[in-house]
Amino acid sequence: QVQLVQSGGGLVQPGGSLKLSCSASGRTIRTDSMAWFRQAPGKEREFVSALFRSGVNTHYTDAVKGRFTISRDNAKNTVYLQMNSLKPEDTAVYYCASGSRLILSTIRQSAYYDYWGQGTQVTVSS
């Protein structure tokens, strides 16, 4: 069992930055695929970013490329999402997720992740 606890988020003006954290307990997530998804009001949950297994290759949805950065600190068993140049359309509840059995072709699909954080609200507004 893995428990994921998120922190960060909040209200920020357009163009601002926020950093989300996702801390894991129960076991190491060193070799898990880790991802961030988001869900805006009235919309389906969508993929944002991921790290595939223990590698360093990162994956992003086109809407956040060049603005968001996913990273992992194995010593802290934590994954981060640094969000820069935030836009109003980034407003959503953000969720981290982990999975130990994903293959590369499924990394953007929420159904393949086993554990989820509690979600954290990010609001981008002036």
Side-chain angles (χ1 to χ4, degrees), residues 4-104:
L4 300 176
V5 177
Q6 297 178 221
S7 60
L11 173 64
V12 65
Q13 292 187 342
S17 298
L18 283 173
K19 187 173 185 177
L20 306 182
S21 300
C22 175
S23 297
S25 61
R27 64 166 175 78
T28 180
I29 56 170
R30 179 188 302 267
T31 59
D32 283 17
S33 294
M34 300 297 298
W36 290 93
F37 290 80
R38 66 186 180 186
Q39 187 166 17
K43 296 187 177 180
E44 292 186 354
R45 189 171 299 186
E46 66 172 354
F47 170 81
V48 176
S49 181
L51 282 163
F52 179 60
R53 295 187 182 171
S54 58
V56 297
N57 290 331
T58 54
H59 304 263
Y60 299 95
T61 189
D62 287 346
V64 308
K65 279 181 181 176
R67 300 188 297 121
F68 290 12
T69 304
I70 189 171
S71 62
R72 182 200 302 257
D73 185 334
N74 288 331
K76 296 182 177 179
N77 220 27
T78 298
V79 173
Y80 303 97
L81 185 68
Q82 176 67 47
M83 304 183 293
N84 298 328
S85 301
L86 281 160
K87 304 175 181 180
E89 52 263 43
D90 295 318
T91 296
V93 177
Y94 284 69
Y95 298 90
C96 66
S98 71
S100 60
R101 296 168 292 178
L102 281 84
I103 58 175
L104 188 55

